Amino acid sequence: MGEVDARRDLPLTSEAVDELVEVAERVAREAGRLIHEGRPERVAVAATKSSPEDVVTAMDLASEDLLRRRLAELRPHDGILGEEQGYVLGTSGVTWVVDPIDGTVNYLYGLPAYAVSVAAVVGPAGDDGRAPNPATWTVVAACVHAPTDGRTFRAGLGKGATLDGRALRAQDPPALAGCLVGTGFGYLATRRRAQARVLAELLPRVRDIRRIGSAALDICNLAAGHLDLYYERGLAPWDLAAASLVAQEAGLQVTGLRGRPAGTDMTVAGGAGRVAELRVLLESLDADTDG
């Protein structure tokens, strides 16, 4: 078959994208079994990152080890970018972006909202072999797997998105005031203060707010119709890569503020009409700053 999308100049056929989606699901399910079946009664913190609240468990590390080992076996020429262990350069032009446990604090406390997120992206490596830039890469295959309830979201570029094999096609809600909005909060006190200020202004203007604790599941829940809108400041590439393709292939928009793409400064997702309204409101509140 021909190119996936000639306008993107992607060196991948339709069959190649299908293969990447299958690999993404395969390794996400394997990691999901590891973290779900291997979860001890009490999970200990193995390390912290940006603050004492930003935790890493031993299972985060074990899950990423498994993902890296299996991807190296199945796709030995591809690069890998992971949350816990950084970037390994590949030679194929494909890079896997993995989050071994998205929702680590939920996992720590025994709450069920956590997932394994696996995406394949294409784009050139940065200077000196640095990881590809999320602002310029293209996500071509994705799987977000929630091991506690078995839900599995998949997407391939130009091929649509599914939840457990059922095609997803999201609808734009009629008004911002009727929207159920998902969000999340950072780990630094200064950012949390700013996010609380934004939330106080937003809450009276929407149906309600949900804070589930897993960005990947939040964005996939948009595609499944369980949320209407989503916004969050501070998302890393591994938080966003797989879920963004699921949302976009379900017909949703994933963007940032002030003409920028979705990313660390801000991610806004949902139906195009309501995203435009929420984006204007968030820009007026300077939601992409910590002031």
Side-chain angles (χ1 to χ4, degrees):
M1 296 181 65
E3 299 297 318
V4 174
D5 184 344
R7 294 168 300 175
R8 296 173 184 264
D9 297 323
L10 297 181
L12 296 176
T13 63
S14 177
E15 290 88 347
V17 172
D18 288 340
E19 178 187 342
L20 292 172
V21 174
E22 292 298 326
V23 170
E25 179 176 1
R26 182 173 177 178
V27 300
R29 285 184 176 274
E30 290 179 12
R33 283 193 295 273
L34 172 70
I35 63 178
H36 182 54
E37 296 174 5
R39 186 185 183 278
E41 184 174 346
R42 293 182 63 85
V43 179
V45 174
T48 60
K49 293 185 282 188
S50 63
S51 77
E53 293 72 37
D54 188 4
V55 299
V56 178
T57 69
M59 197 59 85
D60 285 277
L61 301 175
S63 177
E64 186 161 322
D65 283 342
L66 182 151
L67 290 167
R68 287 176 178 271
R69 175 173 53 81
R70 292 295 287 130
L71 287 169
E73 293 169 355
L74 296 167
R75 301 278 307 184
H77 303 296
D78 296 350
I80 304 176
L81 173 64
E83 179 175 12
E84 309 303 341
Q85 299 174 39
Y87 177 58
V88 174
L89 178 67
T91 58
S92 67
V94 174
T95 298
W96 293 92
V97 183
V98 302
D99 193 337
I101 304 179
D102 186 65
T104 296
V105 173
N106 286 342
Y107 186 76
L108 179 68
Y109 279 83
L111 297 172
Y114 59 86
V116 180
S117 175
V118 179
V121 309
V122 294
D127 295 338
D128 301 321
R130 287 178 295 138
N133 184 350
T136 57
W137 72 33
T138 299
V139 187
V140 295
C143 180
V144 175
H145 175 61
T148 54
D149 60 17
R151 287 185 303 154
T152 303
F153 297 87
R154 293 177 20 142
L157 182 65
K159 294 175 172 289
T162 62
L163 168 57
D164 298 332
R166 175 176 59 86
L168 297 175
R169 196 68 191 172
Q171 302 295 318
D172 206 4
L176 185 63
C179 287
L180 184 64
V181 182
T183 193
F185 307 112
Y187 292 104
L188 298 176
T190 53
R191 176 159 295 178
R192 288 181 171 186
R193 290 190 189 97
Q195 289 172 320
R197 173 185 57 80
V198 171
L199 183 64
E201 292 291 333
L202 178 62
L203 183 56
R205 309 185 197 204
V206 299
R207 182 188 300 276
D208 208 345
I209 296 288
R210 292 291 180 269
R211 195 275 198 262
I212 295 169
S214 165
L217 288 179
D218 278 334
I219 296 172
C220 288
N221 279 330
L222 283 174
H226 303 315
L227 291 171
D228 297 312
L229 286 167
Y230 171 80
Y231 78 97
E232 187 167 351
R233 175 161 163 76
L235 295 190
W238 40 83
D239 298 318
L240 185 57
S244 67
L245 185 64
V246 172
Q248 289 165 341
E249 288 294 322
L252 298 173
Q253 186 177 85
V254 183
T255 186
L257 299 187
R258 309 181 204 283
R260 296 191 291 267
T264 303
D265 287 345
M266 180 60 69
T267 296
V268 187
R274 301 293 79 76
V275 161
E277 291 182 62
L278 180 57
R279 189 171 59 226
V280 168
L281 177 56
L282 292 173
E283 288 175 353
S284 73
L285 296 171
D286 292 325
D288 51 349
T289 72
D290 293 336

